[in-house]
Each structure stands twice: as structure tokens, then as C-alpha cells.
Amino acid sequence: MLKPPEHQVAGHRAQDGQLGPLVDGCGIFYKPLQGDGRGDAEVAFYTSLFSHPAVPPHILSFFPGFHGTLVLPASDASGPRPHLALDDLLAGLRSPSLVDLKIGGRTWPPDCPEDYFQKCIVKDRESTSVALGFRVSGVQIQDPAGTDAFWRPSRAAVRRYMVEDVRRVLRQFVSANPPSPDQKPDCALASAVYGGTDGVLAQLMKLKAWFEEQALFHFYSASVLLVYEKDAAVAAAGQQAGKSSGVRVKLVDFAHVMEGQGVIDHNFLGGLCSLIKFMSDVLNDP
Amino acid sequence: MLKPPEHQVAGHRAQDGQLGPLVDGCGIFYKPLQGDGRGDAEVAFYTSLFSHPAVPPHILSFFPGFHGTLVLPASDASGPRPHLALDDLLAGLRSPSLVDLKIGGRTWPPDCPEDYFQKCIVKDRESTSVALGFRVSGVQIQDPAGTDAFWRPSRAAVRRYMVEDVRRVLRQFVSANPPSPDQKPDCALASAVYGGTDGVLAQLMKLKAWFEEQALFHFYSASVLLVYEKDAAVAAAGQQAGKSSGVRVKLVDFAHVMEGQGVIDHNFLGGLCSLIKFMSDVLNDP
């Protein structure tokens, strides 16, 4: 029984007859291939990534598992269409809080068509990408009161985020008090989610070390996805000796990955370092 | 007795009645203030940098010493004009080899006027800045035969450099054989100049550590300047236990420095990491 994912904060959505991803409820996420070459590019990337001898296993674990492609009825009723079969990164989670962060001050590759460059540079300048090296593509935070409700700003609101909004959202993401114009985020879960030996910061540092060296792939318009469940984080925050919050740190969206040609991805790396600094600031001044 | 610097590979030159920098032969470099606000911006940066309590002393040593401003007759005979008084970074060197590397995939600040953005983005895309995170602004290499001659490509040639040209120049810069289309650079001086405990790579790593943390300044259109003398490098290369080649690693050109406003300079940092990777490649595969 395929259906649209319950929790999705960015990208095309399979609802109201639109084309979008589907999940099977058993751990697989089916992403329809875009017809303009982007879908093929993403398949080629996954194939190359998982067969490349120079990519270490601890780096592969940052990517969704790849299970090939499968022709399925598309969610927009346009008929059969090939889909990427990937691990469902939210499998097993009832009420995930998640944030999608598009990394890089620049979302366009060096040798792209002029119309694509123009489209991207406008968005990069209007959003926080240029100033900050990354932007929020979407976010949902579980209601701190423990209900099944989520705080999820509209796409239009997220698109208008300035640097201070991003700072606030990254604090709100690990707070136990509800978002409010009158109250600062308390960052009660910061050390459980961002800190610790397997928290977000430690995982991003591993990714950074790889990006300082790897000259295989350049990731344009790709995102870091952070996912955790409040219950597990609250339990971890209550422990003395750093119980894991189970936070998941994944890279997603590879329709615009290019070959590195012996040069590091300085654009992604710079944005990643900026994100790391933002999270360190939350941890050091909660 | 003020005169134009003997060795200058980038920037405006005080020759043929043009406005440019002057040196006094006693260790001071006088840089005329541009009238359009850029000069004032550079003075403000130097003043702020050398008075800021959060900038550590080992980082200040990457910058030319600053001795205030002085009104001097301009080199274009336009009359008296304020000049920045800075340390002459080539003082005491008879035959310096030098390369000026403009750092950052982007040379324009986020909130710049549209015409400045358009001018910069064209240059960034046409040069290696976008692809590589830095570009060569100028280079001169002492004739390996030991004469007083230099190999210095024209500005037009440097402007046309693609990624492979930059790679070749960074190898040629530390080679003992002359530049030639038929012969690869031998990289004989790579370990003396790029390697070692006070070589270029070690110094750039210190700079990188600062850029991962500092959110005070964003350096647009600034350069890393590398300077060494072949004699000292050859002597160092002949030693067993890493004698210093005396290479100088400096940051220059701060007319477009902006306040960081709590965000790291991900653009400069990314380019710096790319340069570090290029130099590591030369060291690991000379």
C-alpha cells in the first residue's frame, strides 16, 4: 500500500494529484524520477557513490540506502514511471521533528545553462544562502505539549527567513517550550540533540573531515536533513552519562551532483562549517 | 626617496603617470587611498583589526603591520593624497618569487550595489573563482638559472587561467626547472616551501582554524600573498632537518572587508580549504 509520506517539509508533494514521493510503510521511500534529466542524474550519483572504492563506509552511512529503481504508478495518475527506491529516513518514527537545510552559498554548478543560473542566483541572494552558506528549506517541530500536533511554518514563511530567523529556528528545533514571539527558545534539548558523541555536531564534524579531502563529488542544492523524536531526546537529556538521543543526520537530494574533477567542494564545505558554527553557538550559549 | 615597488604582480601600478603604491626602501609600503570609499574602508579595517581584543596575536602576524595614514604626493602627480602606511612585505628580499591568490568563490558581499555584483560575478565565473574557490591574480617566479630575470606571465594570460593552469602554476612556483610546455614542473622546492613546520601549508592551517571560528570580518576580494627567495629555499631543501625556507604568508587587500555579524566567512574559508587541498596534492605527489 503506497501512500504519500506523513512527514515531509521540503520538495514536491504527492497530494492533490501532484507528482511526489511515496512510502510503503515498510521502510522504503519511492522518489519519482524527474523527466528532465535530473532523475537520471540522481540515479547515476547513487550508483556511483555506492560502488566507489574511495568512499569510506562511515561516510556512506550519511546517505539513504539505495535499492535501485522501480517502475510504479505515479502519484499524479500520469501512469507508470520509474522511481528511486531509497531507505525511508523517517521509518519507525511516530512524531519526528525535522529540519531540511540546503547547504552551500551557491546552488548552481559552474557550467550550468544561463536560465538555470539566473533562477538559482536570485533565490540564493533572496534567501540566507549567500549570507550564511545555507538556508532552511523546511522545518517541523513536534508540539512540546506532547500532542500529535506539529509547529510547521508555511513554505512562504520559510522562504522569507533572514539570518536571525535561521538562528531562532535552530534554537527552537531543540527547545522544550513552544515557539512564541514573547519567549526565547529554552534550548533544553540542545546538548542531547546537537551535543554528545553521536549528536548532530559530532556527526557533522565527521562529514566536514571528508569534505576537506574528497574531490569526487560536488553537491549543488543538496540538503542536510536532521531528524529526532522528542521522547528519546527528553530521555537522553535526563540522563547523566550522555544517552543517545537517536538523532539522524542524513544528506538528501542529489539531482545536481557534479563530478569533482580533483577539486574539493569548497562551496558545500564552507556552508557546512557555517552550520557547525551556528550549532556550536547554540551549545555554548543555550 | 619614494618609488614604485620593484616587484608587484597585482593591483594598480605607479608607473607611466598612474596612481599606485610607493615604497621608501626602508620597509614601508604606501598605498594610496581610493577616493570612492574603498580607501576609507581599508583604513577602517586595519584600525579595527589591530585594536580588536578578540583577534589573537598569531593571527595579526598574517597581516601587514599598519602605521596609520600619511598624506604624500600621489604617483600620478595629481597632488597630495592620503596613503596607508603598511609594512613592505618584500622588504629585504632581492629576488622574491611571489604569487597573489584572490580567495573566495565569490568576490562580492551579500548587500552590494547591483552594478558591482554584475561586474564581480562575471569575473568570478570567467576565472577559476567559482570552480576552485580562488584565482591567481598575479605571479612571478625567479629564473631558476639564478639570474636576476623573472618568469612573469602577462595579466591577460593570468586572467585566462583555468583550473589546470592554476594547478600547474602552483607546482611551477616551487620548482627548480624553468617553465616550459615540454617539461613538467619538478616541484624540487615543494617540501621546503609548502611543507615543514613553518611552511605555507602549516601557516594556512593556522589561518583556517581561525576562519572556522571568527565571525568578526568577512574578506571579499582579499588575497593570500606567498613570497620566498629561491636561495633560501634551495638551502632549506638541502638540509636534513627542515631548515626554514623563510617563506612569507600574508593576507592583503581589504577594501571590501565587511562586518561578520556573528556569521563565519564561509566563502573565504571554503576557498582557503581548496587552496590547502591543492598544496597538499603538490606535497603528496611532487
Side-chain angles (χ1 to χ4, degrees):
Chain A
M1 267 306 293
L2 298 176
K3 54 178 188 178
E6 201 176 340
H7 308 288
Q8 189 188 345
V9 295
H12 303 279
R13 283 191 193 145
Q15 57 191 20
D16 308 325
Q18 302 293 303
L19 186 63
L22 299 164
V23 291
D24 66 358
C26 303
I28 303 292
F29 178 94
Y30 295 98
K31 183 176 178 176
L33 267 64
Q34 308 276 354
D36 57 359
R38 283 186 283 170
D40 291 338
E42 192 156 18
V43 174
F45 166 71
Y46 272 107
T47 307
S48 169
L49 175 79
F50 281 100
S51 62
H52 205 297
V55 181
H58 78 277
I59 291 300
L60 288 179
S61 67
F62 283 105
F63 294 85
F66 171 56
H67 309 282
T69 59
L70 202 68
V71 175
L72 295 173
S75 63
D76 62 354
S78 61
R81 176 189 276 269
H83 286 64
L84 273 161
L86 302 168
D87 282 349
D88 179 358
L89 301 177
L90 306 184
L93 303 182
R94 205 181 56 87
S95 297
S97 294
L98 52 133
V99 61
D100 181 300
L101 301 157
K102 195 184 282 273
I103 307 294
R106 172 165 61 84
T107 57
W108 45 278
D111 299 312
C112 63
E114 199 58 24
D115 57 343
Y116 187 72
F117 161 72
Q118 290 296 347
K119 203 180 84 173
C120 290
I121 188 98
V122 168
K123 282 192 199 172
D124 294 349
R125 294 179 78 193
E126 287 179 352
S127 71
T128 63
S129 292
V130 164
L132 203 52
F134 65 92
R135 66 182 184 241
V136 175
S137 284
V139 59
Q140 77 169 26
I141 303 177
Q142 195 197 346
D143 175 23
T147 71
D148 271 348
F150 292 95
W151 176 76
R152 182 154 70 184
S154 72
R155 292 195 176 193
V158 169
R159 263 198 296 270
R160 284 193 302 268
Y161 277 178
M162 294 290 90
V163 171
E164 285 316 307
D165 302 311
V166 174
R167 202 184 295 276
R168 182 180 44 76
V169 160
L170 288 180
R171 298 177 79 90
Q172 190 65 57
F173 187 64
V174 290
S175 289
N177 60 338
S180 147
D182 310 321
Q183 211 183 3
K184 285 189 177 174
D186 62 20
C187 297
L189 306 175
S191 61
V193 176
Y194 291 163
T197 52
D198 62 355
V200 173
L201 207 52
Q203 295 198 50
L204 292 182
M205 293 299 280
K206 284 182 198 161
L207 210 48
K208 169 174 173 260
W210 185 59
F211 271 92
E212 286 174 348
E213 290 293 330
Q214 75 90 7
L216 303 171
F217 305 111
H218 286 196
F219 294 82
Y220 298 105
S221 268
S223 288
V224 163
L225 184 71
L226 307 180
V227 187
Y228 78 97
E229 276 201 310
K230 211 139 239 176
D231 288 355
V234 167
Q239 303 274 328
Q240 281 296 96
K243 188 169 175 278
S244 169
S245 69
V247 61
R248 302 176 184 183
V249 179
K250 297 289 178 176
L251 295 176
V252 295
D253 294 339
F254 310 115
H256 301 282
V257 173
M258 301 282 154
E259 286 186 20
Q261 302 182 306
V263 175
I264 66 163
D265 189 351
H266 58 91
N267 175 61
F268 191 99
L269 175 59
L272 191 60
C273 290
S274 180
L275 176 60
I276 286 171
K277 178 62 160 61
F278 255 57
M279 300 209 152
S280 306
D281 287 349
V282 176
L283 272 174
N284 293 332
D285 178 23
Chain B
M1 266 308 292
L2 298 176
K3 55 179 188 178
E6 202 175 341
H7 307 286
Q8 189 188 344
V9 295
H12 303 279
R13 281 189 192 147
Q15 57 190 22
D16 310 323
Q18 302 293 303
L19 185 64
L22 300 164
V23 292
D24 66 358
C26 303
I28 304 293
F29 179 93
Y30 296 99
K31 181 174 179 178
L33 268 62
Q34 309 275 354
D36 58 0
R38 282 186 283 169
D40 292 336
E42 193 156 18
V43 173
F45 167 71
Y46 273 107
T47 307
S48 169
L49 176 78
F50 281 100
S51 63
H52 205 297
V55 181
H58 78 276
I59 291 301
L60 288 179
S61 67
F62 283 105
F63 294 85
F66 171 56
H67 309 282
T69 60
L70 202 68
V71 175
L72 295 173
S75 63
D76 61 356
S78 61
R81 176 189 277 266
H83 287 63
L84 273 162
L86 302 168
D87 282 349
D88 180 0
L89 302 177
L90 306 183
L93 303 183
R94 205 181 56 86
S95 297
S97 294
L98 52 134
V99 62
D100 182 301
L101 301 158
K102 196 183 281 274
I103 307 294
R106 171 165 61 85
T107 57
W108 46 279
D111 300 311
C112 63
E114 198 58 22
D115 57 342
Y116 187 73
F117 161 72
Q118 291 295 347
K119 204 180 86 175
C120 290
I121 188 101
V122 168
K123 283 191 197 170
D124 293 348
R125 294 179 78 192
E126 286 178 353
S127 71
T128 64
S129 292
V130 164
L132 205 50
F134 65 92
R135 65 182 185 239
V136 176
S137 285
V139 59
Q140 78 170 25
I141 303 177
Q142 194 197 346
D143 175 24
T147 72
D148 270 348
F150 292 96
W151 176 76
R152 181 154 71 186
S154 72
R155 290 195 178 196
V158 169
R159 264 198 295 271
R160 284 192 301 269
Y161 277 179
M162 293 290 90
V163 171
E164 285 316 307
D165 302 310
V166 174
R167 202 184 295 275
R168 182 180 44 77
V169 161
L170 288 180
R171 298 177 79 91
Q172 190 64 59
F173 187 64
V174 289
S175 288
N177 60 339
S180 148
D182 310 321
Q183 211 183 4
K184 284 190 177 172
D186 63 18
C187 297
L189 305 175
S191 62
V193 177
Y194 292 163
T197 52
D198 62 355
V200 174
L201 206 53
Q203 295 197 51
L204 292 182
M205 293 299 280
K206 283 181 197 161
L207 211 48
K208 169 174 172 261
W210 185 58
F211 271 91
E212 285 173 348
E213 290 293 331
Q214 76 90 8
L216 303 170
F217 306 112
H218 285 195
F219 295 82
Y220 298 104
S221 267
S223 288
V224 163
L225 184 71
L226 307 180
V227 186
Y228 77 97
E229 276 202 310
K230 210 139 239 175
D231 289 354
V234 168
Q239 304 275 325
Q240 283 294 98
K243 187 168 175 280
S244 169
S245 69
V247 61
R248 302 177 184 181
V249 179
K250 298 287 179 179
L251 294 176
V252 295
D253 295 339
F254 310 115
H256 301 283
V257 173
M258 301 283 153
E259 288 186 17
Q261 302 183 305
V263 176
I264 66 163
D265 190 351
H266 58 91
N267 175 61
F268 191 100
L269 175 59
L272 191 60
C273 290
S274 180
L275 177 60
I276 286 170
K277 178 60 161 61
F278 255 57
M279 303 213 149
S280 306
D281 286 350
V282 177
L283 273 173
N284 294 333
D285 178 22

